[in-house]
Amino acid sequence: MTTKIRHLIASATVAAVASVSGTVQAQPKTPIPQTQAVKNVVLVHGAFADGSGWRGVYDELTGRGYKVSIVQNPLTSLADDVAATRRVLSRQDGPAILVGHSYGGTVITEAGSGPDVAGLVYVAALAPDAGESTLDQFAQISPPPGFIIEEQSDGFGFVNGPKFKEGFAGDTSDADAAFMRDSQVPIAMSAFTAKVTQAAWRAKPSWFVVATEDGAIDPKLLRETARRIGANTEELKGSHVVFLTQPKAVADVIDRAARQAAR
């Protein structure tokens, strides 16, 4: 066999392997079992953001066969955000895993006690007890110094612009952090002082993602909150927006919650 023929065969083999590899990579994710009892997921964003940040998690979960709905909180009051969440829950065709990020954890704590919720997932989130507020949790362990909220004369707050990336999105690119900074949704500061009337985590199984590099909620508070509510906990090295920067890892936790809650 000549050197030229050997070279042609080797090239063809490499091309074939590359083609097969590409085909494998293009295959859809393994779907969840048709018999799985919990197939619905409802995602709730926190303050200073909207639901679009969940896109990566949404893609991961829908690719596995979940029906995923995203709440768009008005951020005008805790009561309004809870009502928005319950409105989406009422549209589900079966039990759901209810997921909250940051202040969204307060929302799901209040909204998630009904029979339509099979479990709760807290992603770098707060989880007050009945009679507590979001601000009460921060009183236990203060936010890191880089997280600064500027309250406006109308009672709504924004995250400080120059400190935005440090406090909110430390592991994103400069361009992504700038976009989030300039598109942030202000929240009525009164939402942070509103007391939770019921704590769904006392009756529902819960899971918790601790973002170890969180610049908005001290990781010590995240760990203490996860311990207090008895959550199945996973730590991910990421910023406050770990769901945005590590969507697959966060989706894996939600997927695991759905499978375990179904049992």
Side-chain angles (χ1 to χ4, degrees):
M1 183 181 293
T2 67
T3 300
K4 182 176 181 181
I5 292 174
R6 289 195 187 96
H7 177 72
L8 289 172
I9 292 174
S11 298
T13 302
V14 170
V17 170
S19 175
V20 170
S21 298
T23 301
V24 170
Q25 291 172 359
Q27 292 296 317
K29 299 178 179 66
T30 303
I32 58 176
Q34 289 295 316
T35 55
Q36 184 168 312
V38 181
K39 299 179 181 179
N40 298 320
V41 176
V42 174
L43 305 173
V44 182
H45 67 83
F48 316 111
D50 64 20
S52 62
W54 287 114
R55 179 59 190 270
V57 174
Y58 172 92
D59 288 347
E60 282 285 340
L61 292 173
T62 55
R64 304 178 197 194
Y66 287 98
K67 175 189 173 186
V68 183
S69 302
I70 299 172
V71 176
Q72 294 289 2
N73 283 325
L75 300 180
T76 47
S77 71
L78 176 59
D80 289 346
D81 296 335
V82 168
T85 299
R86 287 176 172 160
R87 194 173 297 123
V88 173
L89 282 171
S90 71
R91 293 173 56 82
Q92 306 306 303
D93 57 6
I97 295 295
L98 185 57
V99 185
H101 170 248
S102 191
Y103 157 77
T106 301
V107 177
I108 70 170
T109 295
E110 179 73 16
S113 60
D116 48 0
V117 175
L120 307 164
V121 178
Y122 292 86
V123 180
L126 300 158
D129 203 349
E132 292 181 345
S133 69
T134 296
L135 203 58
D136 287 335
Q137 282 217 275
F138 278 121
Q140 299 169 27
I141 299 176
S142 299
F147 183 62
I148 301 170
I149 301 174
E150 299 172 336
E151 184 172 355
Q152 311 300 294
S153 60
D154 63 356
F156 281 74
F158 290 84
V159 177
N160 172 271
K163 291 283 190 179
F164 186 90
K165 183 174 181 179
E166 176 185 346
F168 202 81
D171 58 350
T172 64
S173 68
D174 289 345
D176 285 343
F179 180 80
M180 285 188 284
R181 176 197 67 209
D182 296 338
S183 64
Q184 61 179 297
V185 183
I187 186 170
M189 297 298 287
S190 60
F192 290 153
T193 58
K195 304 287 187 182
V196 168
T197 65
Q198 55 187 347
W201 50 263
R202 287 196 170 276
K204 306 285 182 177
S206 59
W207 290 258
F208 206 106
V209 174
V210 171
T212 62
E213 312 300 314
D214 199 318
I217 304 175
D218 193 309
K220 292 193 293 291
L221 179 56
L222 294 176
R223 293 185 183 103
E224 173 57 26
T225 300
R227 184 202 63 75
R228 181 173 76 155
I229 71 175
N232 297 279
T233 304
E234 180 162 338
E235 298 205 354
L236 296 178
K237 186 176 181 180
S239 75
H240 189 56
V241 292
V242 65
F243 67 96
L244 183 71
T245 57
Q246 298 189 53
K248 182 184 182 301
V250 171
D252 286 346
V253 174
I254 298 168
D255 184 13
R256 187 157 58 250
R259 293 173 188 269
Q260 292 176 356
R263 294 199 292 267

